[in-house]
Amino acid sequence: MTLATMGLYATYWFYRNWRAYRESTGDDVWPVARAIFNIFFTHALFRAIAGSQPQLQQLAGWNHRFQAHMIVLLTILMRIFDRMAGKGIGVPVTDLLSLALLIPFTVFLVQVQSKINLVMRDPEGQRNARFGVANVIWIALGILLWMSVLDDMTGGFSSGSGNPGDVII
């Protein structure tokens, strides 16, 4: 979902995990704020996941600090490259770097999700294995976003001749 939505789903992912944390601990945390400003709360979330089931062997060797560092670093780099591209600096390289960093970012999130699945006693992730209506909506929005970005990166479908706005096929 993270790749399909160009990273937007990650904010929702952080929200859902902070909400689950609040429900399981009763701590007074604001999931929406922690999701929006996730770079400041990633380490705390991963530390909570790692400490939630210390008896689990698979969590004992998990380097949650490294994964949190990487998620934060990749998030910052993606935002820097995206801002640079938005200002026309280094285009198309900065656009491509921003998009390419989604791949390792997603890999790290998938690894963390596997730890969450262990904590939830669902190692295969069966609770969230099916696509529902919300998933289809997320993917549809992601496709529109990808089309828009790719259109901007390629200068649209126009060949450059004719009137602005004319589409040449």
Side-chain angles (χ1 to χ4, degrees), residues 17-95:
N17 283 294
W18 277 114
R19 192 177 89 184
Y21 172 82
R22 183 182 66 191
E23 290 170 0
S24 69
T25 65
D27 286 355
D28 187 24
V29 298
W30 295 1
V32 172
R34 288 182 179 229
I36 292 169
F37 302 107
N38 64 66
I39 62 170
F40 302 110
F41 299 102
T42 300
H43 288 81
L45 178 61
F46 292 11
R47 184 172 44 253
I49 294 164
S52 64
Q53 299 282 336
Q55 73 277 14
L56 286 177
Q57 200 72 356
Q58 297 94 328
L59 288 181
W62 178 40
N63 190 347
H64 67 279
R65 287 179 198 88
F66 172 75
Q67 289 198 298
H69 291 331
M70 292 308 297
I71 292 289
V72 170
L73 176 65
L74 290 166
T75 300
I76 291 169
L77 287 173
M78 285 188 295
R79 289 184 183 160
I80 288 171
F81 289 134
D82 186 53
R83 300 277 184 200
M84 289 173 67
K87 294 181 184 223
I89 301 169
V91 175
V93 173
T94 49
D95 270 326

Side-chain angles (χ1 to χ4, degrees), residues 150-169:
L150 293 174
D151 184 55
D152 284 346
M153 287 176 64
T154 61
F157 296 107
S158 173
S159 68
S161 61
N163 297 320
D166 287 350
V167 176
I168 301 173
I169 300 176

Side-chain angles (χ1 to χ4, degrees), residues 20 61 65 69 115-117 136 155 157:
R65 287 179 198 88
H69 291 331
K115 302 303 181 191
I116 293 169
N117 292 347
V136 172
F157 296 107

